[in-house]
Amino acid sequence: MNMQRFIISRIVCVSLRPGRPTKTKLIVLTAAALLVSNLLLNLLPDLGLSSIRSKSATEVSIGAEDLAALKEVGDISAGGGGGRYRRISQHLSGSDGSSGDRSVTVTAWSGCQFTALAIDDVLLVNQSTQGLHIFIVNQATASLMGHQVFSSLDELKPLLTSVTAGRLLILTSVQKFRRTGSADEAAALRLLGSSGFQIVSPKKPDMEVTASWVLIAFAKIGRIDEQLMQSRGRQLRLSTQVRLVSEDDPICPSWPPSEDTTRRRRFCQLAEGFNNVCDCSTPAAISFQSRPAPWSTHGVVPLTVLSSNQPQFLFRTLSSLLSIQSLNVSQTHVMLRGFFEEPRLICDLLKLAYTQRKQVSASLANLYRLGMADSFHLFPTASFVILLEGDVDSSPDLVEFFNRTLPLMRRDPNLFCIGAWNDQSFTHTSQEPGLLLRTQQVPLKAVAIRRTTWESQLNEQWPEGPIDLASWLGRVMGPRRYCLRPALSRAFVYSQSLRLIDRLRPAYRTESASFCIDEEAHSNYDSRLQGLIDSSVGFNSHFARGCQSAVLAATSLASRTVNSTLPSLLISARASNIRVAQQFWTRVARCFSLNAGLTCLYKGTCQINFQRFILLVLFRPLAPFRLPPGSEPDLTIQNVSWGSRKHRRHSRSPT
């Protein structure tokens, strides 16, 4: 190290002597720059990564050599792959299905562009999704049983804990992943048997690591081989021999003989990584008892789950849905986009009817279109359909909620849809189960649609190209119609909750206690909203002074309430169009810890019920409602410049 510093200093001194040609100076300084860069690489702080080398491991540069190496075991698109996937359905160990003493060659690639897995020169997976990829391979047949992607090491622990002992695990990385230094991260590294990471807390929380990492191990037994390289722009290739084991013994002989056990064993031979489904001691339930809801006033109402190639999400969604005792399983249907094997195996395991359609588009709009078309075709007498996306946990009273609200849709022709999900439902907002709010945005995720709406409008007008589904449905709905959604959400979107900041804690109903829907409040909704505005307290001056002042004033006003009626706080803003209204609402959402999306808008007004007060935001002249006498002047975007990104100020959520 000292010698490098001496050489650099001498080169610089000699090159800068008077009389040296300019070209010579440039050449010498370039050489010095290369030495400096090499010195800086050696001085980089240790991120807890250590270099592991094995005889079977090689490192190659990204480029033509990588692509050529992968083409030897299967087709790969230029640029690192587009996620092509092929499952080995036959036994690699021979035509008789017995592994004997056969060994297979497991080859894995890891780097900044793609990851790939091959067994005996057969390419199984080629993907470019950033994060940690874990592949689960059957230790007897060498067939791929599962593939999941995680963003950090601590997220691996539940999977590593529940996976069947002895399964072959291959872990690779693409680009970056996070290290949190948590106890779950340390447990995951111990379960993997990794010696490439020091099981210590990183210097910074949620530190991103850029490294190429390949690890091959037997689940809950030990590591087979591992390689870790910290350099950027390099691709790792790790190849090792793995001896297959005999599969003469049945899976979990302690399971009692039954139809459930037969289905479970069939599933566990082909798939892995779904909670405790394949656990020998306490396997997860796959049969559920139900008492179907009395849909006598509505006829047949199918509930269709929309899913693509997200098997872990689908299993969690279906398990949550089937735990609802009032669910009618005979009218529950799963629409699978794409001919993927794992989603089909999950439906067979849970004994649910499903259809598989060719994946012509990966858009959400295409998924909803296929779901509505299949549902009304399979249930020709149904007047409504309930569509549930495949990344949603259901409330225990989800079916009861639709059972009580569908009569409103039957009687009100202006009611376009009924949604069970509210993206403004948090722990600090209203927990009243029977409160319904109107919106002119279609609340997707869990929504009920009429057959007549599908046949006369949506099916005929559906665009062929890619569309923003929520915006397009809003245009079809028009200004005269609206949707209903509960103040307390009946659905929890767990895939989105992972990306919310800490102060936003989504809430949804977790009990099945009875509740009542105030139908009179629905029929007189506009007049009741005008009554709330007339009795409201002007809040413009507090909000204009800043976010902290607004939250403190709201809390103070709510604490002075003596009766059970919640006080209404009114903010009126000047907004000539939806774009300006969205900008203003972003400031309001930051102050009161709400979602920044303007999904609460109904006739130019947003109503958010907190636990101790009601917040009303009127955008004029979009809102047709009149202000109470003596109201404060309307605010503008310029009045709340403190809410811009440069002057953002956070405060605790009002309650």
Side-chain angles (χ1 to χ4, degrees):
M1 189 74 67
N2 293 330
M3 180 60 68
Q4 287 180 339
R5 294 175 182 173
F6 174 75
I7 293 174
I8 292 171
S9 62
R10 294 301 300 165
I11 288 176
V12 173
C13 291
V14 172
S15 63
L16 295 180
R17 285 180 180 175
R20 295 285 185 185
T22 304
K23 186 175 181 179
T24 303
K25 291 182 179 180
L26 290 175
I27 294 174
V28 175
L29 288 175
T30 302
L34 292 175
L35 287 174
V36 170
S37 63
N38 186 36
L39 177 62
L40 290 176
L41 286 175
N42 293 330
L43 293 176
L44 285 176
D46 186 16
L47 296 178
L49 304 174
S50 60
S51 179
I52 302 172
R53 294 289 183 263
S54 62
K55 294 181 179 179
S56 58
T58 59
E59 60 180 74
V60 295
S61 300
I62 295 175
E65 294 180 2
D66 291 329
L67 301 181
L70 282 176
K71 286 179 180 178
E72 294 178 1
V73 294
D75 188 23
I76 181 172
S77 59
R84 299 189 183 184
Y85 178 100
R86 185 158 69 91
R87 177 187 295 278
I88 296 180
S89 57
Q90 75 277 13
H91 292 282
L92 293 176
S93 52
S95 58
D96 59 351
S98 59
S99 59
D101 294 331
R102 178 174 170 80
S103 296
V104 294
T105 302
V106 178
T107 306
W109 287 262
S110 171
C112 64
Q113 286 189 352
F114 64 89
T115 184
L117 173 67
I119 296 181
D120 274 356
D121 295 338
V122 179
L123 183 65
L124 302 186
V125 178
N126 164 33
Q127 280 217 351
S128 57
T129 306
Q130 177 177 308
L132 291 170
H133 293 247
I134 186 163
F135 309 98
I136 306 174
V137 176
N138 190 301
Q139 71 274 29
T141 64
S143 60
L144 184 65
M145 305 183 71
H147 170 217
Q148 298 187 39
V149 185
F150 301 90
S151 62
S152 63
L153 279 166
D154 52 356
E155 296 175 3
L156 287 170
K157 183 188 174 184
L159 173 64
L160 297 176
T161 304
S162 62
V163 70
T164 303
R167 297 294 190 207
L168 183 61
L169 303 180
I170 298 95
L171 187 143
T172 64
S173 65
V174 176
Q175 294 182 9
K176 299 178 181 179
F177 57 92
R178 288 188 299 109
R179 289 202 63 190
T180 61
S182 64
D184 288 343
E185 177 182 287
L189 290 170
R190 283 194 296 267
L191 289 170
L192 288 169
S194 172
S195 60
F197 282 88
Q198 300 173 4
I199 307 178
V200 295
S201 299
K203 297 178 181 179
K204 297 180 181 179
D206 287 340
M207 180 176 63
E208 283 193 343
V209 176
T210 301
S212 299
W213 184 25
V214 178
L215 182 143
I216 302 174
F218 283 122
K220 301 178 181 178
I221 295 178
R223 177 175 62 95
I224 300 174
D225 208 345
E226 183 180 15
Q227 184 182 6
L228 182 65
M229 184 173 62
Q230 190 177 333
S231 60
R232 297 171 180 263
R234 305 286 288 176
Q235 194 81 10
L236 282 185
R237 177 180 179 272
L238 177 62
S239 183
T240 188
Q241 293 291 118
V242 177
R243 184 176 298 277
L244 300 180
V245 301
S246 174
E247 59 174 349
D248 297 334
D249 297 332
I251 299 176
C252 296
S254 60
W255 288 343
S258 64
E259 182 188 355
D260 285 357
T261 298
T262 302
R263 295 200 324 272
R264 192 188 299 272
R265 283 205 175 105
R266 187 185 308 119
F267 178 83
C268 294
Q269 287 174 349
L270 300 173
E272 185 66 83
F274 296 92
N275 293 339
N276 295 322
V277 171
C278 301
D279 187 82
C280 292
S281 57
T282 55
I286 59 174
S287 293
F288 303 87
Q289 296 181 352
S290 62
R291 295 189 296 273
W295 296 107
S296 56
T297 57
H298 315 305
V300 176
V301 182
L303 193 155
T304 299
V305 179
L306 309 175
S307 181
S308 185
N309 189 25
Q310 293 179 311
Q312 282 74 31
F313 285 175
L314 177 62
F315 180 80
R316 175 172 172 173
T317 296
L318 294 180
S319 299
S320 171
L321 184 64
L322 290 172
S323 64
I324 302 176
Q325 293 188 352
S326 56
L327 178 71
N328 191 335
V329 179
S330 63
Q331 297 179 18
T332 303
H333 162 253
V334 183
M335 204 292 297
L336 302 175
R337 181 178 60 187
F339 295 95
F340 300 103
E341 186 173 2
E342 282 179 306
R344 177 182 60 80
L345 292 174
I346 292 171
C347 294
D348 290 337
L349 173 71
L350 300 176
K351 296 179 66 176
L352 282 176
Y354 64 91
T355 56
Q356 284 185 289
R357 299 286 295 270
K358 181 180 179 181
Q359 180 170 334
V360 296
S361 171
S363 67
L364 181 65
N366 174 257
L367 194 62
Y368 269 85
R369 185 178 188 179
L370 293 176
M372 283 186 271
D374 283 358
S375 301
F376 288 123
H377 175 73
L378 294 173
F379 300 91
T381 61
S383 300
F384 308 95
V385 63
I386 300 171
L387 301 172
L388 188 71
E389 292 186 27
D391 60 346
V392 171
D393 274 344
S394 302
S395 171
D397 65 347
L398 175 73
V399 174
E400 183 64 20
F401 171 79
F402 281 113
N403 195 20
R404 291 177 180 269
T405 54
L406 283 179
L408 301 177
M409 184 180 287
R410 189 180 294 276
R411 291 194 295 267
D412 188 353
N414 292 326
L415 185 52
F416 184 80
C417 69
I418 296 177
W421 178 58
N422 187 348
D423 63 340
Q424 302 290 3
S425 177
F426 299 105
T427 54
H428 59 280
T429 57
S430 176
Q431 306 294 302
E432 186 178 346
L435 178 61
L436 297 178
L437 300 173
R438 290 186 182 183
T439 174
Q440 289 180 314
Q441 299 286 327
V442 177
L444 301 175
K445 297 298 181 183
V447 62
I449 298 287
R450 285 190 186 91
R451 173 186 285 272
T452 54
T453 302
W454 162 252
E455 292 178 344
S456 63
Q457 292 181 287
L458 301 182
N459 189 31
E460 295 180 355
Q461 302 178 23
W462 206 288
E464 293 298 330
I467 59 172
D468 182 343
L469 181 60
S471 299
W472 180 75
L473 289 175
R475 291 193 297 270
V476 174
M477 181 169 55
R480 295 182 178 274
R481 293 188 288 181
Y482 53 87
C483 292
L484 284 179
R485 64 177 184 176
L488 178 58
S489 183
R490 278 5 186 239
F492 173 64
V493 185
Y494 46 83
S495 63
Q496 290 186 354
S497 67
L498 299 176
R499 298 191 294 269
L500 291 175
I501 58 180
D502 292 338
R503 62 194 178 93
L504 294 182
R505 301 184 183 278
Y508 76 112
R509 189 163 168 84
T510 57
E511 57 184 0
S512 57
S514 60
F515 62 95
C516 296
I517 299 294
D518 191 349
E519 297 187 12
E520 182 181 355
H522 169 70
S523 58
N524 301 320
Y525 192 89
D526 286 5
S527 60
R528 291 201 172 208
L529 183 56
Q530 182 64 63
L532 287 176
I533 295 173
D534 292 339
S535 61
S536 62
V537 177
F539 206 66
N540 285 6
S541 58
H542 296 290
F543 192 67
R545 281 197 292 267
C547 188
Q548 186 175 8
S549 173
V551 172
L552 291 176
T555 306
S556 175
L557 290 172
S559 63
R560 294 200 296 265
T561 304
V562 294
N563 53 24
S564 58
T565 303
L566 296 179
S568 301
L569 309 181
L570 176 64
I571 299 175
S572 60
R574 181 62 54 178
S576 58
N577 52 57
I578 297 297
R579 182 182 61 83
V580 178
Q582 175 64 70
Q583 293 176 355
F584 192 92
W585 174 256
T586 303
R587 272 77 165 170
V588 177
R590 288 172 185 164
C591 267
F592 293 94
S593 297
L594 299 170
N595 197 308
L598 194 58
T599 56
C600 55
L601 193 66
Y602 169 71
K603 291 188 176 181
T605 306
C606 267
Q607 175 184 344
I608 301 293
N609 286 47
F610 291 89
Q611 294 185 13
R612 299 175 63 184
F613 64 91
I614 300 173
L615 179 65
L616 300 172
V617 182
L618 264 68
F619 299 103
R620 291 164 22 95
L622 299 177
F625 304 103
R626 66 179 183 274
L627 293 176
S631 298
E632 299 172 317
D634 295 338
L635 295 177
T636 63
I637 291 293
Q638 289 73 24
N639 296 135
V640 290
S641 58
W642 50 263
S644 63
R645 185 178 299 273
K646 183 178 179 180
H647 300 90
R648 185 181 303 177
R649 298 175 65 183
H650 295 301
S651 61
R652 62 181 182 179
S653 305
T655 56

